[in-house]
Amino acid sequence: MSDLATTQDLESRLEQYRTELTGYCYRMLGSAFEAEDAVQDTLVRAWKSFEKFEGRSSLRSWLYRIATNVCLDMLSAGNRRARPMDLTAATPVAQAQLTARPEITWLEPVPDGRVLPSVADPADRTVERETIRLAFVAALQHLPPKQRAVLILREVLAWKAAEVAELLGTSVASVNSALQRARATLAESAPAESDPADPLDEEQQKLLERYVAAFEGYDMKALTALLHEDATMSMPPYDLWLRGHEDIVGWMLGVGEVCRGSKLLPAVANGSPAFAHYHPSQIGEGYEPWALIVLEISGGRVGAMDFFLDTERWFPLFDLPGRLDREGHAVEVSPKEVSPEE
C-alpha cells in the first residue's frame, strides 16, 4: 500500500470519531468553537504520533486520552463558561440594565449535529441529548476539570471505572472518589428537568406553533399563557436575566419592543427546540438576524428562553440564512451587499 493510501486510511479512521469527540470536548469546555479547536488539535496530535500508538488500548480510548489532556490544558487558566443566572441574581425589569461581558464568559450553544453521533438505541440518544442541554453543561462547569472528565466519561459515556483510571493514569479508587464528589457538587446545582424532545410529540409541536404565533404577533397575553410562572429569559452577552411573567412581559413591551414584527425560523440547539430570530430590517426591506433563541420545555410549557445575540457567530455555525425577504423567505446575501459597518 502506498504512503498516500496509508495516510488517507489513517485520516479516515481518525475522522470517524470527530463528532463524538466534539461532544465530549463541548461538555468539558462549554464552547462550541473551543470544542472544535480541541478536537482538531487532538486529531493532529494523534496523526503525528500514531507510530507510538502500541494498540494496548483501543484507538477510541487513545483519542479520548489525548482529547482529555487537550481540554485539561485549555482549562488550566481557570476560566469557567457560565450562563447569566450563574453570575448574577434575577433583575426586576424596573432596574434592568444591559451590561455586556466578554465572549469568553459565556456558555455557548451548539448544533446537535456537531456533537451528537448517530446511535441506534433511542434510550442512548435521549441521554446524549439531555447531556448537551444548556442547563446540564452549565452545571458541569461547576466541577473541577478532572472531576468533570470523570463524570462525563462515567455517567454520560458509560465508561468503566478501570477504563477511566487508565485514561487518566490514576487508580480506580481515585476515579470512584472523584465521581462521588462530582455527583455531590452537581446535586447542589442540579439543572431543571426538561421534557424529552426527540422527536417532538404532537403536544410539543402545537406548543411551539403557539409560541411562534404569539411571538410573531407580539401577543403578550398568548405568550404568557405558554410560559411557566417562574420562566426565565437571558440575553448573552449581557449578564441581565429575568424571571417570571411580569418582568419578561415588561421587558418585551419596553426595551424589547424592537422585537415587534419579528420572524422566527425553526432550528435545533443543545438537544432543545430553537429558533432563528429575525427582526425588521433597519436598512431596507425584509428581516435581519437578531438572536438564536433556545427554549427549555417542561410540563407542556416553556421554562426558559435564552436569546444568544451574537448572530455573526451563531447563524453561520447553525447554517442559518443571513437575511429574510418581506415574506420571510431566506435570502442569499452576497459580499458586495454587505458594507463593513454591517
Side-chain angles (χ1 to χ4, degrees), residues 226-283:
L226 304 177
L227 302 178
H228 282 290
E229 285 189 19
D230 61 348
T232 62
M233 176 178 169
S234 71
M235 295 162 281
Y238 300 110
D239 58 13
L240 170 74
W241 66 283
L242 306 164
R243 184 192 293 278
H245 295 162
E246 186 175 340
D247 284 331
I248 290 175
V249 170
W251 176 269
M252 298 286 282
L253 294 177
V255 177
E257 184 74 21
V258 68
C259 295
R260 186 181 291 274
S262 294
K263 294 288 186 183
L264 301 184
L265 293 185
V268 178
N270 293 81
S272 304
F275 292 98
H277 173 194
Y278 298 80
H279 76 141
S281 175
Q282 298 176 335
I283 59 172

Side-chain angles (χ1 to χ4, degrees), residues 6-263:
T6 301
T7 298
Q8 290 175 335
D9 178 63
L10 175 57
E11 289 178 349
S12 177
R13 290 176 65 192
L14 297 176
E15 192 65 27
Q16 67 179 312
Y17 297 103
R18 180 181 291 275
T19 301
E20 65 173 283
L21 287 171
T22 305
Y24 174 61
C25 293
Y26 174 72
R27 295 178 182 96
M28 285 289 291
L29 302 171
S31 163
F33 294 101
E34 287 185 356
E36 292 194 345
D37 288 345
V39 172
Q40 189 61 30
D41 191 3
T42 295
L43 297 181
V44 169
R45 291 189 191 189
W47 189 85
K48 288 182 177 179
S49 60
F50 189 74
E51 291 181 357
K52 299 178 183 178
F53 175 55
E54 299 175 351
R56 287 181 294 183
S57 63
S58 69
L59 177 60
R60 180 172 181 259
S61 297
W62 185 59
L63 289 172
Y64 270 90
R65 180 182 300 128
I66 298 172
T68 300
N69 289 331
V70 169
C71 288
L72 293 178
D73 287 344
M74 293 175 72
L75 292 167
S76 62
N79 180 64
R80 174 172 69 87
R81 297 274 178 167
R83 304 172 80 191
M85 44 283 291
D86 297 320
L87 303 177
T88 64
T91 304
V93 69
Q95 302 170 18
Q97 293 183 334
L98 292 176
T99 303
R101 298 203 188 190
E103 173 272 322
I104 199 170
T105 306
W106 302 115
L107 181 70
E108 297 179 349
V110 71
D112 285 18
R114 299 284 184 114
V115 294
L116 295 181
S118 298
V119 292
D121 189 333
D124 290 342
R125 183 164 178 82
T126 297
V127 170
E128 291 275 355
R129 289 173 65 91
E130 280 294 303
T131 58
I132 62 164
R133 285 177 50 217
L134 288 170
F136 184 84
V137 179
L140 287 176
Q141 308 308 301
H142 291 277
L143 302 175
K146 284 193 176 181
Q147 285 186 28
R148 198 180 309 173
V150 167
L151 186 131
I152 296 168
L153 290 166
R154 292 281 285 118
E155 303 273 273
V156 177
L157 302 178
W159 284 39
K160 297 177 181 178
E163 294 172 327
V164 178
E166 182 181 357
L167 181 147
L168 294 175
T170 187
S171 66
V172 170
S174 177
V175 167
N176 288 336
S177 176
L179 179 59
Q180 192 172 23
R181 294 196 303 273
R183 284 171 173 167
T185 301
L186 208 60
E188 295 174 1
S189 55
E193 293 186 2
S194 68
D195 295 339
D198 182 31
L200 293 168
D201 61 29
E202 184 177 356
E203 183 180 340
Q204 291 168 332
Q205 292 275 19
K206 290 180 178 178
L207 172 65
L208 295 181
E209 290 170 5
R210 292 196 297 271
Y211 180 87
V212 171
F215 197 99
E216 292 187 345
Y218 229 63
D219 184 340
M220 291 300 108
K221 183 177 180 180
L223 183 64
T224 296
L226 304 177
L227 302 178
H228 282 290
E229 285 189 19
D230 61 348
T232 62
M233 176 178 169
S234 71
M235 295 162 281
Y238 300 110
D239 58 13
L240 170 74
W241 66 283
L242 306 164
R243 184 192 293 278
H245 295 162
E246 186 175 340
D247 284 331
I248 290 175
V249 170
W251 176 269
M252 298 286 282
L253 294 177
V255 177
E257 184 74 21
V258 68
C259 295
R260 186 181 291 274
S262 294
K263 294 288 186 183

